């Protein structure tokens, strides 16, 4: 039985892994076929197949080998039999994650957390540079001829519209942005481009780095689109900020046609060093490897700093308890057993309902405006990691989720997000220009959320955070609703002084009055409120919201602007069209 069970697990893992590695090729085809809807379906499939595979495997093992569910010592023997099957494989750490997940599924009812740890393999690189990136020699400038070779990396089945014109524009833009004037023959040591296409929604991306003569690194990202007339380069990114934004965990995962996920993540970390390594794994679709990397990073942060987790800076959540360490890159959350008295949405539907909303955000296209969530289940953390006051608060107000087990706190669920500064706190000390940028980006955030069929009925500025690059992100999800289910109404058609209760007052469901957005956001500065109205006045009208809602109901995939217009090689005429 032991050997057969181990072989069964291996077969199921192999079937899962093969399918997951086929998805990037299908995403490439969707890009070539100009089918963004298929790309979104592939993103959802990529995220769902792991859980589906684990559930099916656990059910099969319980049915065929019922003793496994009754005797955990037998499972340990199965693991020992399984290890030789995967030893030495590139995806060994991933295969270990798979069997750990199966173990959690089988023993779920007995509340036996399994440690998220794969040993050292998650940090080990196996691929040679030639497997990961293509090396181009340096010189005084980047040439159109080099760009032509870069454009050939994906080996598209469909043609470029005008590759020579694109190559000339790209070379000119890069040389101008980075100040390569041709006089310093050693200005560029090398150009290194990942041997893969990165695919997501409507776009494809060629990702690399320019190594300068002082060995410093500059990102080089070519953003491609596919029009009826052919594939073309839409934009060129050479700044860490712009590159960081398109690789943000606030967007759907990329499908990457290169299997070396450790080296890909390391390469991305080299061009975006301020972004934690664990999030780079998630960016390329290896969320379960990312979970391990994030937990390792948290442990390393606390060990290096001597800090402990305490209540997160900002405003106490009515539904979640947020906590972090001062210098950590992450904020952690658990859902309260019941909300605080400030909860304003009627009957609380329970912890599982809130977790489903966080899970839904993880599975959709987050449009660059919602933080992704890493949701751990059945995990133990050392008590020494926590301030005593925080431990008491967690046990008192989230006792259904958090329990004390010896020297550990055991969590039934734990949500990890990149740390953000809450918008109201940011505005208290921000320079005027930065505050204005944040307010403008807040409007873009709200629009992008609607385009993803997400409506945050709690339009309170405290639910939004500011990144180091002044991007705005929604990070609290307990008040989310599908936007297509929202009823858009207005009081602007009422006669001044009219005392009758409006008709919409008696309607069931979520009612939204666009003219109330400004008040709901609680922006204190009158000048910033005026700026919001000037730039995003359409958000205060029913017409805007009804137009986006109808586009979603018609099955359109709205166009989202995820990089600045200034990075585009050509002007775009449809910038204001929300669909």
């Amino acid at each position: 039985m032991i050997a057969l069970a181990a072989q069964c697990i291996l077969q199921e893992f192999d079937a899962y892994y093969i399918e997951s590695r086929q998805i990037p090729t299908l995403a490439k085809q969707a890009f070539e076929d100009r089918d963004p809807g298929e790309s979104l379906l592939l993103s959802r499939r990529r995220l769902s197949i792991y859980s589906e595979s684990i559930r099916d495997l656990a059910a099969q093992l319980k049915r065929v080998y019922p003793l496994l569910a009754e005797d955990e010592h037998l499972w340990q023997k199965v693991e020992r039999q399984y290890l030789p099957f995967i030893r030495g494989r590139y995806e060994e750490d991933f295969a270990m994650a798979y069997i750990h997940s199966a173990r959690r599924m089988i023993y779920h009812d007995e509340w036996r957390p399994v440690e998220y740890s794969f040993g050292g393999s998650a940090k080990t690189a196996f691929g040679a540079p030639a497997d990961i990136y293509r090396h181009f020699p340096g010189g005084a400038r980047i040439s159109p001829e080099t760009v032509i070779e870069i454009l050939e990396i994906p080996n598209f089945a469909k043609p470029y519209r005008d590759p020579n014109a694109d190559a000339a524009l790209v070379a000119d833009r890069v040389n101008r942005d980075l100040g390569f004037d041709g006089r310093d023959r050693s200005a560029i040591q090398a150009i290194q481009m990942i041997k893969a296409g990165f695919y997501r929604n409507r776009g494809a991306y060629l990702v690399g780095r320019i190594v300068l003569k002082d060995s410093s690194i500059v990102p080089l990202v070519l953003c491609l689109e596919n029009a009826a007339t052919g594939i073309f380069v839409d934009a060129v990114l050479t700044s860490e900020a712009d590159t960081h934004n398109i690789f943000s965990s606030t967007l759907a995962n990329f499908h990457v046609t290169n299997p070396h996920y450790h080296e890909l993540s390391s390469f991305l970390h080299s061009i975006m060093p301020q972004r934690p390594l664990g999030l780079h794994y998630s960016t390329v679709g290896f969320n379960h490897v990312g979970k391990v990397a994030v937990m390792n990073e948290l442990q390393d942060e606390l060990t290096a700093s001597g800090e402990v987790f305490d209540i997160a800076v900002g405003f106490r959540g009515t539904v979640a308890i947020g906590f972090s360490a001062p210098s950590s890159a992450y904020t952690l959350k658990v859902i309260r057993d019941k909300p605080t008295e400030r909860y304003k949405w009627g009957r609380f539907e329970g912890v599982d309902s809130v977790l489903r909303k966080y899970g839904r955000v993880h599975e959709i296209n987050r449009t660059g405006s919602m933080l992704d969530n890493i949701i751990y289940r059945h995990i133990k953390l050392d008590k020494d990691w926590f301030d005593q006051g925080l431990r008491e608060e967690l046990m008192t107000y989230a006792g259904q989720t958090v329990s004390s087990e010896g020297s550990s706190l055991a969590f039934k669920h734990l949500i990890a997000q990149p740390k953000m500064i809450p918008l109201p706190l940011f505005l208290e000390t921000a320079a005027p220009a930065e505050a204005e940028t944040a307010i403008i980006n807040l409007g873009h955030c709200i629009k992008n959320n609607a385009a993803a069929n997400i409506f945050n009925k709690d339009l309170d500025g405290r639910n939004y955070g500011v990144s180091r690059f002044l991007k705005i992100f929604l990070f609290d999800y307990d008040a989310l609703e599908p936007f297509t289910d929202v009823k858009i109404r207005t009081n602007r058609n009422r006669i001044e002084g009219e005392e009758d209760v409006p008709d919409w007052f008696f309607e069931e469901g979520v009612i939204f009055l666009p003219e109330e957005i400004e008040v709901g956001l609680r922006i204190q500065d009158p000048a910033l409120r005026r700026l919001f109205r000037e730039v995003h006045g359409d958000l205060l009208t029913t017409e805007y919201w009804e137009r986006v809602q109808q586009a979603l109901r018609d099955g359109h995939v709205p166009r989202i602007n995820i990089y600045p217009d200034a990075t585009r090689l050509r002007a775009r005429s449809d910038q204001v069209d929300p669909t």
Side-chain angles (χ1 to χ4, degrees):
M1 179 192 78
I2 300 299
L4 290 175
Q7 289 174 354
C8 177
I9 296 169
L10 180 68
Q11 289 170 0
E12 291 300 318
F13 170 74
D14 284 342
Y16 155 74
Y17 192 69
I18 289 170
E19 182 180 357
S20 71
R21 291 313 309 152
Q22 290 172 340
I23 287 178
T25 300
L26 296 175
K28 176 185 176 184
Q29 183 177 330
F31 172 75
E32 292 169 340
D33 293 342
R34 304 180 61 230
D35 189 353
E38 176 65 14
S39 182
L40 288 176
L41 290 175
L42 290 169
S43 293
R44 295 191 189 104
R45 179 62 183 158
R46 179 79 178 274
L47 289 170
S48 66
I49 55 176
Y50 186 88
S51 297
E52 289 178 10
S53 178
I54 292 296
R55 283 195 297 268
D56 292 345
L57 172 62
Q60 179 181 352
L61 291 174
K62 285 181 177 180
R63 183 177 64 253
V64 179
Y65 309 110
L67 290 178
L68 278 179
E70 301 172 8
D71 187 350
E72 195 169 0
H73 293 295
L74 288 177
W75 183 267
Q76 293 169 358
K77 293 181 180 179
V78 171
E79 285 194 359
R80 287 196 292 270
Q81 189 79 29
Y82 177 80
L83 287 176
F85 294 153
I86 64 173
R87 188 167 293 124
R89 289 172 56 161
Y90 180 85
E91 64 278 5
E92 176 183 345
D93 58 339
F94 206 6
M96 280 302 299
Y98 189 84
I99 195 171
H100 283 180
S101 294
R103 179 175 178 170
R104 280 191 295 278
M105 183 67 68
I106 288 174
Y107 299 108
H108 176 77
D109 292 337
E110 297 187 26
W111 178 222
R112 300 189 183 191
V114 176
E115 184 182 1
Y116 279 85
S117 176
F118 304 167
S121 62
K123 296 182 179 180
T124 303
F126 296 91
D131 298 324
I132 312 306
Y133 58 81
R134 186 170 172 186
H135 183 98
F136 299 91
R141 304 165 59 88
I142 184 171
S143 69
E145 291 75 19
T146 296
V147 177
I148 287 287
E149 292 186 64
I150 291 171
L151 294 177
E152 293 171 352
I153 287 174
N155 192 26
F156 289 127
K158 300 295 174 67
Y160 283 95
R161 183 169 65 190
D162 190 344
N164 292 322
D166 278 358
L169 289 171
V170 168
D172 181 68
R173 175 63 62 85
V174 173
N175 291 327
R176 179 157 44 89
D177 285 354
L178 300 182
F180 299 145
D181 57 12
R183 288 178 290 186
D184 184 353
R185 293 189 172 275
S186 61
I188 303 173
Q189 276 195 38
I191 300 167
Q192 298 165 345
M193 302 296 297
I194 291 177
K195 294 172 67 172
F198 287 65
Y199 301 94
R200 182 175 60 198
N201 303 342
R202 297 175 183 272
Y205 302 81
L206 303 182
V207 180
R209 60 195 178 196
I210 300 173
V211 183
L212 302 178
K213 66 178 181 180
D214 62 358
S215 298
S216 61
I217 290 174
V218 174
L220 177 58
V221 181
L222 307 187
C223 310
L224 312 180
E225 289 205 13
N226 192 1
T229 53
I231 299 170
F232 65 96
V233 182
D234 183 45
V236 178
L237 310 181
T238 56
S239 76
E240 182 186 348
D242 292 336
T243 306
H244 182 282
N245 286 337
I246 70 162
F247 280 94
S248 169
S249 56
T250 64
L251 290 153
N253 295 342
F254 279 106
H255 305 296
V256 188
T257 53
N258 187 312
H260 296 90
Y261 52 89
H262 291 307
E263 292 80 4
L264 288 174
S265 300
S266 178
F267 189 105
L268 293 174
H269 191 54
S270 76
I271 61 176
M272 294 169 277
Q274 296 187 71
R275 188 162 190 259
L277 178 63
L279 299 183
H280 289 299
Y281 278 101
S282 297
T283 293
V284 295
F286 286 82
N287 299 77
H288 294 276
V289 180
K291 280 186 173 183
V292 176
V294 168
M295 199 50 59
N296 287 341
E297 286 176 297
L298 285 168
Q299 183 173 3
D300 291 344
E301 287 173 345
L302 296 179
T303 300
S305 66
E307 299 169 349
V308 295
F309 292 132
D310 204 344
I311 296 294
V313 174
F315 307 91
R316 297 290 181 102
T318 59
V319 172
I321 300 173
F323 55 96
S324 184
S327 59
S328 176
Y330 299 95
T331 295
L332 306 179
K333 294 180 179 180
V334 296
I335 308 304
R336 297 175 183 271
D337 297 340
K338 61 180 181 180
T340 68
E341 295 179 354
R342 293 185 290 113
Y343 188 69
K344 51 189 176 183
W345 306 117
R347 185 176 67 88
F348 180 56
E349 296 182 357
V351 172
D352 288 343
S353 174
V354 177
L355 287 175
R356 282 194 295 271
K357 293 183 178 184
Y358 276 82
R360 183 187 175 211
V361 169
H362 175 66
E363 294 172 358
I364 65 171
N365 173 20
R366 293 174 293 278
T367 66
S369 297
M370 289 173 273
L371 293 185
D372 192 12
N373 314 287
I374 296 175
I375 302 178
Y376 297 91
R377 296 184 186 273
H378 297 182
I379 182 171
K380 289 181 179 179
L381 302 180
D382 290 345
K383 283 183 180 177
D384 291 344
W385 290 14
F386 296 81
D387 173 79
Q388 182 175 348
L390 172 60
R391 290 202 305 265
E392 293 172 356
E393 180 158 347
L394 291 171
M395 299 285 289
T396 301
Y397 298 107
Q400 296 177 16
T401 295
V402 187
S403 60
S404 176
E405 295 192 9
S407 61
S408 301
L409 288 183
F411 294 79
K412 290 185 179 179
H413 72 261
L414 182 65
I415 302 168
Q417 293 179 325
K419 183 185 286 185
M420 295 283 152
I421 304 173
L423 178 61
L425 287 184
F426 173 82
L427 294 177
E428 287 178 4
T429 58
E434 292 183 337
E436 290 174 1
T437 298
I439 289 300
I440 291 172
N441 286 339
L442 173 62
H444 291 310
C445 174
I446 295 170
K447 290 176 176 177
N448 287 350
N449 292 343
N453 198 22
I454 288 292
F455 180 71
N456 174 31
K457 64 185 179 183
D458 191 7
L459 281 165
D460 185 321
R462 292 176 294 186
N463 294 319
Y464 296 85
V466 187
S467 78
R468 66 175 65 89
F469 299 118
L470 303 183
K471 286 273 288 183
I472 303 296
F473 306 108
L474 177 66
F475 58 72
D476 270 350
Y477 303 137
D478 53 274
L480 294 191
E481 303 289 344
F483 178 48
T484 47
D485 293 347
V486 172
K487 297 175 180 179
I488 302 167
R489 302 293 184 258
T490 184
N491 282 334
R492 286 184 170 166
N493 55 4
R494 291 171 56 80
I495 300 173
E496 186 175 352
E498 188 176 358
E499 296 181 0
D500 291 344
V501 176
D503 293 339
W504 58 259
F505 186 82
F506 299 100
E507 294 187 64
E508 295 183 355
V510 179
I511 306 298
F512 169 46
L513 280 65
E515 62 263 29
E516 294 186 354
I517 283 182
E518 186 180 339
V519 174
L521 288 173
R522 301 189 184 191
I523 301 170
Q524 302 299 319
D525 189 322
L528 294 178
R529 290 201 301 272
R530 283 195 301 272
L531 177 65
F532 186 86
R533 288 195 301 271
E534 290 170 3
V535 178
H536 297 295
D538 49 354
L539 287 175
L540 307 180
T541 69
T542 59
E543 292 79 9
Y544 175 86
W545 294 94
E546 289 170 347
R547 187 166 70 250
V548 176
Q549 197 173 65
Q550 189 59 52
L552 291 167
R553 287 172 176 162
D554 290 343
H556 295 312
V557 178
R559 181 180 295 278
I560 304 298
N561 289 331
I562 61 171
Y563 38 78
D565 291 346
T567 64
R568 288 193 160 90
L569 297 180
R570 306 168 183 85
R572 189 187 208 80
S573 60
D574 57 353
Q575 292 287 332
V576 298
D577 185 354
T579 63

